[in-house]
Amino acid sequence: LKEARHEAYATIALIFMTYFFLRSTRARYDPASSTLPLEVATVMDLSLSQEEEALRKARERQQQQQRQQGEQQQSQYQH
């Protein structure tokens, strides 16, 4: 029963997160959807997702480099 309670809390949290994501997405695209043709809106959406993916990959590379530098510094201190 305790496990079910945790799952219920997680489900409620996900419902709220989904609702706020829907609101933010609608706020982002509603003004443009009434003025832009579908093709232009689709291209803009694709380019936005590509930019977000590129930023995510850049952050991952930066974090990996920082970990490698930290490991190198630790190995230098150990010797």
Side-chain angles (χ1 to χ4, degrees), residues 17-48:
M17 291 171 60
T18 303
Y19 173 74
F20 288 118
F21 176 76
L22 172 67
R23 285 183 52 102
S24 67
T25 302
R26 183 167 289 170
R28 180 189 298 171
Y29 291 110
D30 266 353
S33 67
S34 61
T35 58
L36 291 176
L38 179 61
E39 295 83 12
V40 175
T42 303
V43 169
M44 289 177 65
D45 186 39
L46 291 174
S47 65
L48 179 63

Side-chain angles (χ1 to χ4, degrees), residues 10-78:
T11 302
I12 291 170
L14 287 172
I15 289 170
F16 281 110
M17 291 171 60
T18 303
Y19 173 74
F20 288 118
F21 176 76
L22 172 67
R23 285 183 52 102
S24 67
T25 302
R26 183 167 289 170
R28 180 189 298 171
Y29 291 110
D30 266 353
S33 67
S34 61
T35 58
L36 291 176
L38 179 61
E39 295 83 12
V40 175
T42 303
V43 169
M44 289 177 65
D45 186 39
L46 291 174
S47 65
L48 179 63
S49 65
Q50 289 173 349
E51 287 177 23
E52 290 172 349
E53 180 69 18
L55 286 172
R56 185 186 62 78
K57 287 182 180 181
R59 276 191 224 113
E60 287 176 357
R61 281 194 302 268
Q62 185 179 18
Q63 290 173 350
Q64 185 179 13
Q65 289 173 350
Q66 288 173 348
R67 275 184 296 219
Q68 288 174 349
Q69 289 174 351
E71 290 171 359
Q72 289 174 352
Q73 288 175 352
Q74 285 179 351
S75 67
Q76 288 175 354
Y77 290 129
Q78 290 175 354

